[in-house]
Amino acid sequence: MLDVQSEQDHRNLPLDRVGIKKMKYPIALRGKEKGTQHTIAEVTMSVDLPLHFRGTHMSRFVEVLHSHAHNMELKNLKTILSDMKQKLSASRAHLDLEFPYTIEKMAPVTGILSYMVIPCQFNATLDETDRFELVYGAKVPIQTVCPCSKAISSRGAHNQRANVTILLISKKIIWIEDIVKIAEQGASSPVFPLLKREDEKFVTENGYDHAKFVEDVARDIGVVLRESESVSWYSVEVSSMESIHDHDAFAYLEGGQRT
Amino acid sequence: MLDVQSEQDHRNLPLDRVGIKKMKYPIALRGKEKGTQHTIAEVTMSVDLPLHFRGTHMSRFVEVLHSHAHNMELKNLKTILSDMKQKLSASRAHLDLEFPYTIEKMAPVTGILSYMVIPCQFNATLDETDRFELVYGAKVPIQTVCPCSKAISSRGAHNQRANVTILLISKKIIWIEDIVKIAEQGASSPVFPLLKREDEKFVTENGYDHAKFVEDVARDIGVVLRESESVSWYSVEVSSMESIHDHDAFAYLEGGQRT
Amino acid sequence: MLDVQSEQDHRNLPLDRVGIKKMKYPIALRGKEKGTQHTIAEVTMSVDLPLHFRGTHMSRFVEVLHSHAHNMELKNLKTILSDMKQKLSASRAHLDLEFPYTIEKMAPVTGILSYMVIPCQFNATLDETDRFELVYGAKVPIQTVCPCSKAISSRGAHNQRANVTILLISKKIIWIEDIVKIAEQGASSPVFPLLKREDEKFVTENGYDHAKFVEDVARDIGVVLRESESVSWYSVEVSSMESIHDHDAFAYLEGGQRT
Amino acid sequence: MLDVQSEQDHRNLPLDRVGIKKMKYPIALRGKEKGTQHTIAEVTMSVDLPLHFRGTHMSRFVEVLHSHAHNMELKNLKTILSDMKQKLSASRAHLDLEFPYTIEKMAPVTGILSYMVIPCQFNATLDETDRFELVYGAKVPIQTVCPCSKAISSRGAHNQRANVTILLISKKIIWIEDIVKIAEQGASSPVFPLLKREDEKFVTENGYDHAKFVEDVARDIGVVLRESESVSWYSVEVSSMESIHDHDAFAYLEGGQRT
């Protein structure tokens, strides 16, 4: 059977990336506490395509994904990228996963348990010299209470749900559970799926007592990451769904070395 | 050239709706104040298909849309549906439009002007007896301040952006600008694209002074619509992006007669 | 502590639905073949609110959800709704779940295995007379090949990915795996995550040999559901991402009795 | 009134970007042919925040936007960024716009006219040395016909809608209308909102005669951009909604110099 993809190409133009996108696939990975977690990821996989080949063999991405989906640990990603490079005769390989990950939350006063689902991402690359780069992180919902609104108003203060997106390159693996904690410690307050009245009182007052701009939250988290010995590079974006506007306010910083 | 669509069908199964979806198209319609407004709609158009025809002629929907896009007034919709019935030899026709519509907003203290963009929808049907039904409305961003949080907390009160979706069947046309006003009057506070410090103080305090559950907002708007002589049928959904949770709270009611 | 929600309401306006939306929660349910499947659902839960109560107690929805999340079988839904009615002192309860569900697919010639993820939904209601209604179904990706394009063109035929959304009320439970099969048997061709060259040849030719309009696919599936003794009510929507347009074509039918 | 934003900050951490996001705003800009076009953009605006300031003044972004919204020409963007730098006492400013833009399309055989709506983006930056960088482009829907499927199958060939995203840095302004043409000339076939039967036959056969992988489309467009004297830097992504899979295939390349 003809192999059109393997035809010679004469346009003299290599492709930076060819691959598959918007691929939903079940994956399993280990959590910090409760053993293996099963979830469904949106997967992007790609390799470079040298200038003399016309096309890549798209089905091989799915074969590699299928053979590793049961073990999507951070520490297994380099092996997957090596497989991609080999099976697709490529010099660089990229793997991006976005997936929801479940953590347990305990209400701050009553201690009632519930689950919160955190959007996470892994972005891994293996280059032509077999250098491996892994950026990973999570988007953590929090509450921000506006210090300006609090200072100028004789009562109340506008507040809102916000999202903190932390991305890291790290020397040793930092659990998603711990990234969530770093984000929540920088917030006016964490948010919770389940709050009884006593909890709601606590969250309201605690948030009000820790009024913070998105700028403050980004910096307080930035300070923690700057001082962490495990973290080589980091970015923090805080985006708040302003309750007095129909748009969001955001702050972004990055620091460290991408190498 | 063959007309496969016009072949006889023997499955003895009429289709309730056949047509086109996710069609982006530029439209123009008149606003309450500033003359014609140009925007881009997502359009769904469909007709019924009698049991003896194999297929409809999809291109004719686009021809009808193109010929009327410059005039998407509510009062022109019946003509468009009549055209659809005739050009597609159908007994029922449906036209659904979703589009962003711009209104001017004035900051409550400083009076500074800015624009706010409101998602709107028109859902129109012309049936086999040429009875015309038009449901239309808008999704209006507002602020809700939680009365429970205010009552039980010694300071502050959680608040958040919410959306009020009002849908109407009316005896005479109610302008989108007026639907927005009805939604905002039921809110803890309206939201604004542009607020200076004096405005932000006013919005914070005013919202705090009018703490309302989503249930309260839905009912206060429901009362206004129930008492309006122009309104035959209405639905109100209020959905708030709770600032202490990562999920939304909502309340829904409907009233009046659909015919 | 004050219970503002339980205050008397004087607006004389009952609410049709109050509850929570856009709640992501981990759930487990049994599959046809491989035992329990873990996935993450987007959950909507609501009850009615009688006219004399000011608000509902939103946290109780999450408590009910948490206590049942490990067992989201279809046959457990009535119990969950009963719990909601009781814990929230309501006369009607509604539970809506949307979740991705994984099925195994075998390539048609080589037999290679891979996973495909199917968006599913359960919509369950328990009314004031404890009548239980369950609508459930799936959105199944397929291929459609246009019979008109095939008939009028001297070579080729435009084709595209389409989605078949089947919703059912049934006398006995129909597995998601079987709903997928019904959708695929009505298609020009099923789609697959993983196809080797021999498989791709088969899918291309098979699809071309079974050229069908969205109208044809909807009817062929409608005929199967009309004749099934297990199905009381059904709806079928086929929506195709036309490869010659930037919009979709769709066909919709429903049949049977909702009781 | 207190100006909390202007407080001294002691965390010694500058912010790369602070500003507003997900702001919908009506804009006007000139088209190649038909004069001014009105549309609604999603706007992101940000500046850097030096380490000694606690917060930025978010309302000023909206003031700048409001004063320029009626003239969002590419050649006006540098002025807007200068205003942002000045009004916000910042050294760098960023403006990102995403908006739908309407072009006229003529059916290839019958010549019938209709409108197609193209998602566009402008990403402009003015840095601390007043160096201006503008990346702009469009996402153009096209058709791809698979050359492998065509070669190995005895009849038919799978095809699908794809999107070509072209981004440019250019020495002189290239109209959106011309970017669309470049994308379409690299495709198996352009797509059209409105095709009569004669047109559909032409598009089907023409696409079949120009079977191309996403890799081919990216390269053919890359060759054109590489050879254009107006273009300094370019990227091309082609992403096709494979009709035989439920995921997309993509190819990406970039070339030229970013300064």
Side-chain angles (χ1 to χ4, degrees), chain C residues 143 149 152-155 157-159 161 192-193 200-201 204-205 209 241-245 247-248, chain D residues 143 149 152-155 157-159 161 192-193 197 200-201 204-205 209 241-245 247-248:
Chain C
Q143 188 194 38
S149 167
I152 63 180
S153 304
S154 62
R155 52 206 178 277
H158 80 78
N159 53 77
R161 197 191 307 156
F192 300 86
E200 184 173 352
K201 173 180 166 62
T204 303
E205 295 172 353
D209 293 342
M241 296 173 252
E242 298 290 287
S243 71
I244 59 172
H245 301 304
H247 60 264
D248 296 354
Chain D
Q143 188 195 37
S149 168
I152 63 180
S153 304
S154 62
R155 55 205 177 275
H158 81 79
N159 52 76
R161 196 191 306 157
F192 300 86
R197 238 187 324 265
E200 183 173 354
K201 174 179 164 61
T204 303
E205 295 173 354
D209 293 341
M241 296 172 252
E242 298 290 287
S243 70
I244 59 172
H245 301 303
H247 61 264
D248 297 355

Side-chain angles (χ1 to χ4, degrees), chain A residues 58-209:
Chain A
M58 298 283 182
S59 66
R60 296 180 193 171
F61 292 106
V62 186
E63 288 175 303
V64 173
L65 176 62
H66 189 74
S67 70
H68 289 283
H70 64 285
N71 180 9
M72 277 289 167
E73 305 297 304
L74 284 175
K75 64 183 180 194
N76 196 31
L77 299 184
K78 191 177 176 183
T79 307
I80 303 175
L81 291 164
S82 286
D83 269 20
M84 287 167 64
K85 281 179 64 164
Q86 190 205 318
K87 298 253 165 62
L88 287 141
S89 312
S91 59
R92 292 190 308 275
H94 309 273
L95 171 63
D96 300 301
L97 300 173
E98 294 182 22
F99 57 91
Y101 181 89
T102 300
I103 60 167
E104 202 171 54
K105 294 280 290 183
M106 184 185 284
V109 177
T110 60
I112 299 180
L113 296 175
S114 58
Y115 295 124
M116 194 157 78
V117 174
I118 305 290
C120 297
Q121 68 184 87
F122 295 168
N123 305 101
T125 295
L126 194 64
D127 76 6
E128 41 274 271
T129 65
D130 272 332
R131 201 180 63 84
F132 175 64
E133 187 188 72
L134 170 64
V135 178
Y136 65 104
K139 181 171 151 187
V140 183
I142 60 155
Q143 188 195 36
T144 56
V145 179
C146 179
C148 169
S149 168
K150 178 182 170 183
I152 63 179
S153 305
S154 61
R155 53 205 178 276
H158 79 79
N159 53 76
Q160 50 270 319
R161 196 190 307 155
N163 284 296
V164 176
T165 303
I166 296 177
L167 295 178
L168 301 173
I169 299 176
S170 68
K171 286 164 208 154
K172 56 175 205 174
I173 287 173
I174 297 178
W175 292 100
I176 292 166
E177 287 82 351
D178 294 325
I179 295 174
V180 171
K181 261 184 214 131
I182 292 168
E184 292 184 339
Q185 284 163 0
S188 291
S189 170
V191 299
F192 300 86
L194 179 45
L195 294 170
K196 302 307 290 181
R197 240 187 323 266
E198 305 86 302
D199 303 307
E200 183 173 354
K201 174 180 164 62
F202 177 83
V203 168
T204 302
E205 295 173 354
N206 183 53
Y208 188 83
D209 293 342

Side-chain angles (χ1 to χ4, degrees), chain C:
Chain C
M1 202 170 268
L2 270 172
D3 183 358
V4 184
Q5 283 87 345
S6 299
E7 286 173 5
Q8 275 275 69
D9 200 87
H10 302 287
R11 281 162 291 199
N12 197 30
L13 201 58
L15 289 162
D16 296 295
R17 298 196 182 200
V18 296
I20 59 173
K21 283 182 102 163
K22 298 193 183 173
M23 177 85 185
K24 297 269 173 48
Y25 225 76
I27 63 167
L29 72 173
R30 216 151 41 89
K32 188 179 181 188
E33 278 140 18
K34 301 225 167 168
T36 297
Q37 189 166 134
H38 294 84
T39 183
I40 289 173
E42 182 162 316
V43 182
T44 305
M45 301 173 87
S46 66
V47 295
D48 64 310
L49 186 69
L51 49 84
H52 48 283
F53 287 119
R54 180 167 178 201
T56 194
H57 291 87
M58 298 283 184
S59 65
R60 296 181 193 170
F61 292 106
V62 187
E63 288 175 303
V64 173
L65 176 61
H66 189 73
S67 70
H68 289 284
H70 64 285
N71 179 9
M72 278 287 168
E73 304 297 305
L74 284 176
K75 64 184 178 192
N76 196 32
L77 299 184
K78 191 176 175 184
T79 307
I80 303 175
L81 290 164
S82 286
D83 269 21
M84 287 168 64
K85 282 180 63 166
Q86 190 206 317
K87 299 253 164 62
L88 287 142
S89 312
S91 58
R92 293 191 305 276
H94 310 273
L95 171 63
D96 300 301
L97 301 172
E98 293 182 23
F99 57 91
Y101 182 89
T102 300
I103 60 166
E104 203 170 54
K105 294 281 289 183
M106 184 186 284
V109 178
T110 60
I112 299 179
L113 295 175
S114 58
Y115 295 125
M116 193 157 78
V117 173
I118 304 290
C120 296
Q121 69 183 87
F122 295 168
N123 305 100
T125 295
L126 194 65
D127 75 8
E128 41 275 270
T129 64
D130 274 332
R131 202 180 62 85
F132 176 64
E133 188 189 72
L134 170 63
V135 179
Y136 65 103
K139 183 171 150 187
V140 183
I142 59 154
Q143 188 194 38
T144 56
V145 178
C146 179
C148 169
S149 167
K150 178 181 169 183
I152 63 180
S153 304
S154 62
R155 52 206 178 277
H158 80 78
N159 53 77
Q160 50 270 318
R161 197 191 307 156
N163 284 295
V164 177
T165 303
I166 296 177
L167 295 178
L168 302 174
I169 299 175
S170 67
K171 286 164 209 157
K172 54 175 208 175
I173 288 174
I174 298 179
W175 292 100
I176 292 165
E177 287 81 351
D178 294 325
I179 295 175
V180 171
K181 259 182 217 134
I182 292 168
E184 293 184 336
Q185 284 163 359
S188 291
S189 170
V191 300
F192 300 86
L194 178 45
L195 294 170
K196 302 306 290 181
R197 237 189 322 268
E198 304 86 303
D199 302 307
E200 184 173 352
K201 173 180 166 62
F202 177 83
V203 169
T204 303
E205 295 172 353
N206 183 54
Y208 188 83
D209 293 342
H210 296 86
K212 287 184 175 193
F213 293 122
V214 287
E215 292 95 324
D216 291 317
V217 177
R219 275 172 166 150
D220 286 346
I221 295 170
V223 166
V224 171
L225 297 173
R226 183 177 59 185
E227 284 162 19
S228 163
E229 293 193 353
S230 309
V231 173
S232 316
W233 175 90
Y234 57 90
S235 74
V236 181
E237 181 177 301
V238 184
S239 188
S240 70
M241 296 173 252
E242 298 290 287
S243 71
I244 59 172
H245 301 304
D246 191 31
H247 60 264
D248 296 354
F250 80 102
Y252 176 84
L253 63 82
E254 55 181 74
Q257 297 292 329
R258 282 199 83 130
T259 60

Side-chain angles (χ1 to χ4, degrees), chain B residues 149-207:
Chain B
S149 168
K150 178 180 170 183
I152 63 180
S153 305
S154 62
R155 53 205 178 276
H158 80 79
N159 53 76
Q160 50 270 319
R161 196 190 306 156
N163 285 296
V164 176
T165 303
I166 295 177
L167 294 179
L168 302 173
I169 299 175
S170 67
K171 286 163 209 156
K172 56 176 206 173
I173 288 173
I174 297 178
W175 293 98
I176 292 166
E177 287 82 351
D178 295 325
I179 296 174
V180 171
K181 258 181 216 135
I182 293 168
E184 292 183 339
Q185 284 163 1
S188 291
S189 171
V191 300
F192 300 87
L194 178 44
L195 295 170
K196 302 307 290 182
R197 238 188 322 266
E198 304 87 303
D199 302 307
E200 183 172 354
K201 174 180 164 62
F202 176 84
V203 169
T204 303
E205 295 173 353
N206 183 54

Side-chain angles (χ1 to χ4, degrees), chain B residues 57-237:
Chain B
H57 291 87
M58 298 282 184
S59 66
R60 296 181 193 170
F61 292 105
V62 187
E63 288 175 303
V64 173
L65 176 61
H66 189 73
S67 70
H68 289 283
H70 63 285
N71 180 9
M72 276 290 167
E73 305 297 306
L74 284 175
K75 64 182 178 193
N76 196 31
L77 299 184
K78 191 176 174 184
T79 307
I80 303 175
L81 290 165
S82 286
D83 269 20
M84 286 167 65
K85 281 179 64 165
Q86 190 204 319
K87 298 254 165 62
L88 286 141
S89 313
S91 58
R92 293 191 306 276
H94 308 273
L95 171 63
D96 300 301
L97 300 173
E98 294 182 23
F99 58 91
Y101 181 89
T102 300
I103 59 167
E104 202 170 53
K105 294 280 290 181
M106 183 185 284
V109 178
T110 60
I112 299 179
L113 295 175
S114 58
Y115 295 125
M116 193 156 79
V117 174
I118 305 290
C120 296
Q121 69 184 87
F122 295 169
N123 304 101
T125 296
L126 194 64
D127 75 7
E128 40 275 89
T129 65
D130 272 332
R131 203 180 62 84
F132 176 64
E133 187 189 71
L134 171 64
V135 178
Y136 65 104
K139 183 173 151 188
V140 183
I142 59 155
Q143 188 195 37
T144 56
V145 178
C146 179
C148 170
S149 168
K150 178 180 170 183
I152 63 180
S153 305
S154 62
R155 53 205 178 276
H158 80 79
N159 53 76
Q160 50 270 319
R161 196 190 306 156
N163 285 296
V164 176
T165 303
I166 295 177
L167 294 179
L168 302 173
I169 299 175
S170 67
K171 286 163 209 156
K172 56 176 206 173
I173 288 173
I174 297 178
W175 293 98
I176 292 166
E177 287 82 351
D178 295 325
I179 296 174
V180 171
K181 258 181 216 135
I182 293 168
E184 292 183 339
Q185 284 163 1
S188 291
S189 171
V191 300
F192 300 87
L194 178 44
L195 295 170
K196 302 307 290 182
R197 238 188 322 266
E198 304 87 303
D199 302 307
E200 183 172 354
K201 174 180 164 62
F202 176 84
V203 169
T204 303
E205 295 173 353
N206 183 54
Y208 188 82
D209 293 342
H210 296 86
K212 288 184 175 192
F213 293 122
V214 289
E215 292 95 323
D216 292 316
V217 177
R219 274 171 166 151
D220 286 346
I221 294 169
V223 166
V224 170
L225 297 174
R226 184 176 58 183
E227 284 162 19
S228 163
E229 291 192 355
S230 309
V231 172
S232 317
W233 175 91
Y234 56 90
S235 74
V236 181
E237 181 178 299

